[in-house]
Amino acid sequence: MGDDSNRDTAVQDRELRFNFRCMGSNPTAFRDIYNEQFTERKRSIEAYLESTNAATTGEKRTMIRGTYPIRINEHDGFFEAYTAALNDAFVELAVENPDLVRILSEAFEDSIEAYR
């Protein structure tokens, strides 16, 4: 089992699955509050996701999932192709989508306030 077998396993479908999760290491009470805050904003969040490769999932732990192609043939190796896909996800969901970042930040800040 060499390096190639690990790469093949990692990219069977040649897609990076970018998951936005509900902070699993936080107390359950905080996660529940955050889920409520997220749900209250869900329509707005979905509107900000419309032009992206991501969508809400309806799941409690993985709330947003995006898929981005890992284009191995366009890069010098697996790592470069993987980080390019990760860059695509970051640019699309954070850099070019400040309203999404703002609404998710507000949900988090409101959750902290409610938890206290």
Side-chain angles (χ1 to χ4, degrees):
M1 293 279 236
D3 185 54
D4 288 341
S5 65
N6 291 332
R7 184 197 66 200
D8 291 344
T9 299
V11 296
Q12 289 176 18
D13 53 9
R14 303 213 188 258
E15 286 185 339
L16 166 71
R17 287 189 185 91
F18 187 84
N19 295 321
F20 173 80
R21 297 187 185 270
C22 183
M23 297 112 347
S25 62
N26 287 309
T28 301
F30 178 80
R31 289 193 314 259
D32 290 344
I33 293 167
Y34 186 81
N35 274 293
E36 290 172 17
Q37 294 293 329
F38 185 94
T39 300
E40 287 175 12
R41 295 166 169 85
K42 189 173 179 182
R43 285 189 181 175
S44 295
I45 292 167
E46 289 174 338
Y48 296 131
L49 291 172
E50 261 181 20
S51 63
T52 72
N53 289 325
T56 59
T57 64
E59 298 173 19
K60 192 171 184 177
R61 290 190 53 96
T62 301
M63 303 168 97
I64 297 171
R65 177 175 292 129
T67 56
Y68 297 84
I70 298 173
R71 296 180 179 100
I72 294 173
N73 296 336
E74 295 177 18
H75 298 277
D76 291 334
F78 169 72
F79 182 75
E80 291 83 4
Y82 178 85
T83 55
L86 187 57
N87 181 72
D88 291 346
F90 179 75
V91 168
E92 183 177 77
L93 296 173
V95 175
E96 294 178 348
N97 208 333
D99 291 328
L100 177 63
V101 172
R102 177 189 49 77
I103 199 165
L104 293 173
S105 295
E106 288 171 358
F108 183 76
E109 290 167 11
D110 289 350
S111 298
I112 291 172
E113 194 63 36
Y115 181 71
R116 290 182 181 162

